[in-house]
Amino acid sequence: MSKFSIMQDDKVCYFCESPYIEYHHIYKAGNRKISDRHGFTVWLCPDCHRGTYGVHGKNGHDKDMALKQAAQAEFERLGHTRQQFIDLIGRSYL
């Protein structure tokens, strides 16, 4: 699997720019392969990924939603339609 992101070029944490990173699929569960294929991924440090306020943490909902919205916005900015996004992911986050 080639790890690429439509969200970032540098391999640093998307939120805090830490160089200690983990690969994160923005849309999980049944959409992991779609996330890989379309670059709906980012690099996150362990705290921004799995910490209390990280995207998988108990207080990380806002951060998770911000990533979902930013990825959809970038997908649309790259020339795709909102309906194309919905057809891939199943719903709009914008």
Side-chain angles (χ1 to χ4, degrees):
M1 161 185 61
S2 174
K3 295 181 178 183
F4 85 100
S5 172
I6 64 170
M7 304 281 291
Q8 63 185 148
D9 294 322
D10 297 330
K11 288 186 177 180
V12 296
C13 179
Y14 181 82
F15 291 110
C16 71
E17 298 185 357
S18 168
Y20 306 103
I21 52 172
E22 303 170 345
Y23 192 60
H24 173 69
H25 296 85
I26 295 171
Y27 307 104
K28 303 175 273 305
N31 291 321
R32 285 176 66 93
K33 288 183 182 179
I34 291 168
S35 288
D36 279 332
R37 193 171 328 129
H38 293 279
F40 301 145
T41 60
V42 291
W43 295 98
L44 298 174
C45 73
D47 194 46
C48 290
H49 196 199
R50 296 176 281 105
T52 301
Y53 292 92
V55 295
H56 293 300
K58 68 178 183 176
N59 297 324
H61 177 74
D62 290 345
K63 196 173 271 188
D64 184 47
M65 289 305 295
L67 276 180
K68 285 173 169 49
Q69 291 169 345
Q72 180 179 348
E74 183 63 13
F75 183 75
E76 292 179 14
R77 189 191 71 76
L78 291 171
H80 302 281
T81 67
R82 183 152 303 166
Q83 187 59 52
Q84 287 173 316
F85 181 84
I86 293 169
D87 291 344
L88 284 172
I89 299 301
R91 65 167 280 197
S92 174
Y93 288 90
L94 298 178

